[in-house]
Structure formats: C-alpha cells, structure tokens
Amino acid sequence: MASSLVPELGTGGPAAVSAPARSRRWAGPLSSVPPSVLIAGVVVLLVVLVALAPGLFTDDSATTTDPLAALQGPSSAHWFGTDQLGRDLFTRVLYGARPSLLLGFGSTVIAVVAGAVVGLTAALGGRAADQVLMRLADVLLALPALLLALLVVTVLGAGTVNVMTAIGIAFVPGYARLVRAEALVVRRSGYIESAVALGLPRWRIVLLHVLPNALAPLLTLATVGFGTALISASGLSFLGLGPAAPSPEWGALLSAGRDFLQTAWWLGVFPGAAVTSTVIAVNVVGRFVQQRFTRRTSR
C-alpha cells in the first residue's frame, strides 16, 4: 500500500506543480509583448550591436577603393554591391550605423536636457518666465522641425556637432511643453505641499520630488523622438550638411547614390532600407513603452 503511493506522490507532488508555475512565471513578461514589438526589439539590438562593433560582421574596409570593381551589382562577393569607387556597400552600410545613431542619439540628448531646463524654468520660475518661454516655444512649434533644424544648421555650418545641435534645438519646444505640464501637476500635488509645510529647501524639493516625476514621461517620449531625430539627421546629411566624406553615414550614402539610381539601384535601396527599418523598429518599441507607461500611471 505504501509503495503504491510513491508514484502518485512523485507525479503529483510539489515539484510537479511548481514546474508549470515557474515556466509561466518566466514566460509571463515576454508573453505580454506583441510579436511585432519583439521583432522590432531584436532589430534595434542588432543595429546597436552593428554600431558598436561592425567588425564582427565584416572583415572589409569601408574606405578602401577598388576602381576595377566599381558599380557591381549584389552578388555573393558583395552582398549589397559596390559603389562608384568600388567600395563594398554592405560594409559601408554597417559602418554607417555608428555615425547615424550618434547623430540621432546626440540630438535627442540635447533636446531632452534643454527641454527639461526650459520646461522646469517655465513651471517654477514665475509667471513672467512662463509667459516668455512658452510664447517662444509656440513660435518655434509653428515651424516644421526639419525646416527649423535646416535654418539652424545653415547658421551654424555643416558638420556632425552642428547637425546634432540644430536637430536638438528644433525638438526642444515639444519636450519643454511636456516637462512644464508635468511639473505643474507635480507642484500642485499633496506631497509637495507637505514638503513645503515641513520647511524643506526649495532646491531639495525640485531635485528630489519635482524633477524625477516630471522627467519620467519625458524619457518615455524620447524613445519615440529618437526615431524622428534619426530620420531628420539623415535628411540633413542627404542635403550635404552632415558628416563630411568619406563618412559612410546613411544619409550621405543616400545622397551619393541618387545620381546612379537608373544604373545602380542598390546604391540608394540598401542605405534607405537601413534608415527605414531602424526608424520603424525604434518607433514600434517606443510606442509600446509609451503605452505601457501611460497604462501604468493611469491606474
């Protein structure tokens, strides 16, 4: 009788019950993520890896020319074909990920930092500061961001740093308005009134309470804004205002390939596909993060 109970205990004991629970626990976070977001996340991680270590994916040089191999179509030797100087386009697209992402990331950082400063100053600096800064933001928001960035980079001049600065300035008004709105909500909350009643210094209230709560939605929005900044940077590089040659930045590759679209279509298709797929993947992931954050804060 006792021996007959052993198999039953072995099959229905705690170990058998907890195994499915553990599998559900591990599968839970990923099971709630749509497949499209997972694919987009893989694409983003792959692009970041390529930008950090392009040598892991190719042994060729992005700048070495070979006139005898100029304008060869895609093949097993050159997956994306070659350009007008015989350079391997696959290698140049891979090495172009770093300067392209750098432009998008740098301009987003500038926009987020400057937008946070302007928004907090407008919310906490008094009525006069609020009126002046927000009316200026309204004027800048009336202009398309890419046009405003083009105007700024025309004044500053071409170059990587100037393009990042121009795009960052163009996106400051949107971030500033968001930070101002969040800071005003936080400033009127009960725990801020309690902190003021306790006599806490103003700078401590701003740094420990207002700033973290106001910046949380800003960082979430920045994941979506990064994709827009990336495509804006590629647009300015396409116009010849970005990194100088022979930098293989994606916008510059598109600009170089537009003169050969009828005879060498691959010079424009593959760099354009790199920009498009990266921007779409970043936007999909950013929208998902934004939705999750909005759902969590609305509870």
Side-chain angles (χ1 to χ4, degrees):
M1 179 71 68
S3 61
S4 63
L5 294 176
V6 174
E8 298 178 5
L9 291 175
T11 56
V17 174
S18 61
R22 285 198 300 268
S23 62
R24 288 195 301 269
R25 183 181 61 188
W26 285 105
L30 291 181
S31 63
S32 63
V33 180
S36 59
V37 178
L38 289 177
I39 295 174
V42 171
V43 172
V44 171
L45 291 177
L46 181 61
V47 173
V48 172
L49 180 60
V50 169
L52 294 177
L56 295 177
F57 302 89
T58 180
D59 296 328
D60 297 330
S61 172
T63 57
T64 301
T65 61
D66 184 7
L68 298 179
L71 298 179
Q72 292 185 1
S75 63
S76 58
H78 304 284
W79 291 359
F80 290 178
T82 60
D83 64 5
Q84 65 275 19
L85 298 178
R87 295 172 294 194
D88 183 69
L89 186 60
F90 176 73
T91 302
R92 289 182 63 77
V93 170
L94 292 181
Y95 277 88
R98 181 179 298 175
S100 300
L101 294 186
L102 179 62
L103 286 175
F105 180 76
S107 57
T108 303
V109 170
I110 292 174
V112 168
V113 173
V117 172
V118 173
L120 288 175
T121 303
L124 306 176
R127 184 177 181 84
D130 187 22
Q131 290 293 326
V132 171
L133 292 176
M134 289 301 100
R135 296 298 77 78
L136 179 60
D138 291 339
V139 172
L140 296 179
L141 284 173
L143 299 174
L146 185 58
L147 177 59
L148 180 58
L150 182 60
L151 293 175
V152 175
V153 79
T154 302
V155 174
L156 298 178
T160 301
V161 177
N162 291 341
V163 167
M164 287 192 297
T165 304
I167 297 175
I169 292 175
F171 285 96
V172 164
Y175 291 118
R177 276 202 162 275
L178 176 63
V179 172
R180 172 186 175 272
E182 294 294 330
L184 289 176
V185 172
V186 174
R187 191 181 68 176
R188 299 188 182 102
S189 60
Y191 63 88
I192 295 296
E193 295 178 356
S194 300
V196 174
L198 291 174
L200 293 180
R202 182 182 177 87
W203 64 267
R204 188 172 181 179
I205 295 175
V206 172
L207 291 180
L208 298 183
H209 299 286
V210 178
L211 187 60
N213 289 282
L215 290 186
L218 177 65
L219 297 179
T220 304
L221 182 62
T223 59
V224 180
F226 172 77
T228 308
L230 177 61
I231 200 168
S232 299
S234 297
L236 293 180
S237 295
F238 181 83
L239 297 176
L241 300 174
S247 173
E249 195 273 333
W250 289 338
L253 293 181
L254 280 170
S255 179
R258 62 181 172 178
D259 297 329
F260 300 92
L261 289 179
Q262 295 183 350
T263 57
W265 54 267
W266 54 90
L267 294 182
V269 169
F270 291 114
V275 175
T276 303
S277 59
T278 302
V279 171
I280 291 176
V282 170
N283 283 342
V284 169
V285 174
R287 294 293 181 185
F288 177 75
V289 173
Q290 189 177 26
Q291 292 174 0
R292 292 291 293 266
F293 178 81
T294 303
R295 191 181 303 119
R296 187 182 64 183
T297 55
S298 62
R299 290 176 181 177

